[in-house]
Amino acid sequence: MKILPPPEVDTEGWADEVHQHQPPDWSGVSPEEVARRGQPWNQDPSQRPWFDQDGAAQSINSQLTQKLISADEARLMTQWVRDGYFVLENAIDPSQFDLLDAYARELDGLWVSTDEPLNMQFSGVRVNGVRRGPVDHAELLSWPLELRLKCRDTQSWRIHYYQSYTQTGRELAHADRLMRMCNLLLKQYPALLNLTAFKYSSEVGHHQDLMFYHVHPANHMVGVWLACEDVQPEAGPLAVYPGSHRIPIWPGFSNYPQTSYRTCHRQGHIDFENYLIDSVSEDNRLRMPIKKGDAVFLNGLCVHGADKAQARGELTRFSIVFHYTIPGADKRLEIEGPFNY
């Protein structure tokens, strides 16, 4: 059987710096007024990716017949079309586990660095019980060491757009098996939208990753959740709702990519999550306590979340989330603000 090798990936631009905004004050602004911002976007369903179209299963079978994909790849792609996710075991070869370990050490080291602060931000940090907006690395390093260590080792913080600052993370982002599957799903060389770094469970509620970005045509995106260590059930594993990628986009985001979680009124965050909660069954919730080096591939519209960590501070859950799209599909710079992050 002739299996095509992983594509040569053009990673130029993967290290572009992206900064988050401080949350705006929506006081006195109606959700309807917010929704009227920006240009109208064409929502032609025929422009959605192949896996959202009729005939997706036949396309997979054709590739298998032509020996362009392996039987295992066909199985994973079929699950993607049917369930909106799959688990790629050994997405990172065990011979490269040193990269996963180095990534974990690197994350912890950011909190105690004596080098020049990096031009990046930490999200989810609470100070005196109050959740802060994005915190600059320079500000964080100005805090007393005791406070920094307490925040680092007890809170569900994360770093969005970390790709600019981590050579280790970028190496992992274009690992052969990840790129092979992304290329099969996107039908083009992938472009990296975001690399998000975690030490503990995000503990987030119901959401769809696509709605946090501005990708057009819609859903040309692949999310990859990579476990950098064995994920214990008590550490707050990822949880998915198989088949939920077929739920219609929330009507409040009808002008996506302009209308999204990043641009909507704060009331929209509540309404969006309630819409997803009402659209799935908790009986269908599937937890993912996967192994080190394994990766969960997620359709951009697959509803998922994360369990709360039962032993944060004792059990870590070092992980990376990569979001890939096709070149030219990231319309972030064409969207009208203000922005929630």
Side-chain angles (χ1 to χ4, degrees):
M1 174 177 293
K2 182 180 179 181
I3 302 299
L4 297 180
E8 290 295 325
V9 178
D10 179 9
T11 59
E12 185 177 351
W14 279 25
D16 287 351
E17 291 188 7
V18 179
H19 291 277
Q20 298 185 88
H21 298 261
Q22 294 295 331
D25 182 3
W26 293 114
S27 301
V29 181
S30 71
E32 293 75 21
E33 181 181 345
V34 174
R36 286 194 294 268
R37 289 173 300 156
Q39 65 175 328
W41 290 83
N42 178 14
Q43 305 298 318
D44 184 354
S46 68
Q47 294 185 5
R48 295 276 287 271
W50 69 271
F51 48 76
D52 285 347
Q53 306 289 345
D54 293 337
Q58 292 87 334
S59 174
I60 296 170
N61 289 333
S62 176
Q63 293 175 72
L64 181 60
T65 299
Q66 297 176 65
K67 298 185 179 180
L68 299 176
I69 59 176
S70 68
D72 192 52
E73 289 169 339
R75 176 184 62 82
L76 294 174
M77 294 166 70
T78 298
Q79 184 180 359
W80 174 272
V81 171
R82 183 188 67 236
D83 296 336
Y85 84 98
F86 61 79
V87 177
L88 181 64
E89 296 180 350
N90 294 316
I92 303 300
D93 190 271
S95 66
Q96 293 186 297
F97 277 8
D98 59 321
L99 287 177
L100 299 177
D101 298 336
Y103 158 80
R105 293 193 300 271
E106 178 183 295
L107 276 191
D108 268 353
L110 292 170
W111 293 77
V112 295
S113 174
T114 57
D115 296 332
E116 189 72 16
L118 298 173
N119 189 29
M120 66 179 194
Q121 302 160 303
F122 291 71
S123 296
V125 179
R126 294 179 180 273
V127 179
N128 297 324
V130 178
R131 185 184 180 95
R132 291 279 305 275
V135 176
D136 290 342
H137 191 212
E139 179 188 346
L140 185 145
L141 290 180
S142 73
W143 299 349
L145 178 61
E146 183 179 0
L147 174 60
R148 280 183 271 152
L149 293 178
K150 180 179 180 181
C151 291
R152 185 193 72 179
D153 297 334
T154 64
Q155 297 186 12
S156 57
W157 55 274
R158 64 197 66 92
I159 305 172
H160 293 285
Y161 301 105
Y162 186 42
Q163 62 265 29
S164 304
Y165 312 102
T166 171
Q167 177 64 35
T168 302
R170 291 196 300 275
E171 287 186 45
L172 292 166
H174 61 79
D176 285 350
R177 296 202 73 200
L178 295 185
M179 290 297 91
R180 169 67 177 172
M181 293 310 304
C182 283
N183 191 56
L184 290 177
L185 294 172
L186 293 171
K187 301 300 184 187
Q188 294 190 49
Y189 293 171
L192 184 64
L193 273 171
N194 190 1
L195 186 166
T196 306
F198 296 91
K199 180 173 182 175
Y200 295 110
S201 172
S202 63
E203 301 186 352
V204 294
H206 298 65
H207 66 285
Q208 297 166 307
D209 286 349
L210 183 67
M211 296 299 112
F212 290 80
Y213 296 97
H214 307 283
V215 174
H216 186 79
N219 213 27
H220 285 271
M221 191 177 89
V222 173
V224 177
W225 189 89
L226 174 65
C228 299
E229 60 182 331
D230 290 351
V231 179
Q232 304 300 323
E234 300 80 13
L238 182 77
V240 304
Y241 294 85
S244 58
H245 61 301
R246 291 187 290 272
I247 295 170
I249 290 176
W250 179 54
F253 294 154
S254 60
N255 191 33
Y256 181 85
Q258 169 61 47
T259 51
S260 72
Y261 200 89
R262 185 168 177 256
T263 57
C264 71
H265 192 281
R266 67 166 67 92
Q267 180 60 43
H269 291 180
I270 299 170
D271 295 342
F272 174 51
E273 183 170 1
N274 286 338
Y275 170 78
L276 297 180
I277 291 172
D278 292 341
S279 299
V280 299
S281 168
E282 289 305 299
D283 292 338
N284 196 35
R285 181 180 173 92
L286 183 61
R287 291 168 177 80
M288 296 285 172
I290 60 175
K291 298 296 184 182
K292 183 176 184 176
D294 292 353
V296 182
F297 278 64
L298 288 165
N299 184 301
L301 291 171
C302 182
V303 180
H304 61 286
D307 284 359
K308 289 189 178 298
Q310 299 175 35
R312 196 191 311 148
E314 300 175 20
L315 286 178
T316 57
R317 200 207 67 174
F318 281 105
S319 58
I320 307 177
V321 174
F322 304 114
H323 286 115
Y324 303 94
T325 187
I326 59 176
D330 181 9
K331 304 302 183 182
R332 175 175 49 86
L333 299 181
E334 300 177 38
I335 302 303
E336 183 176 329
F339 303 103
N340 292 313
Y341 52 86

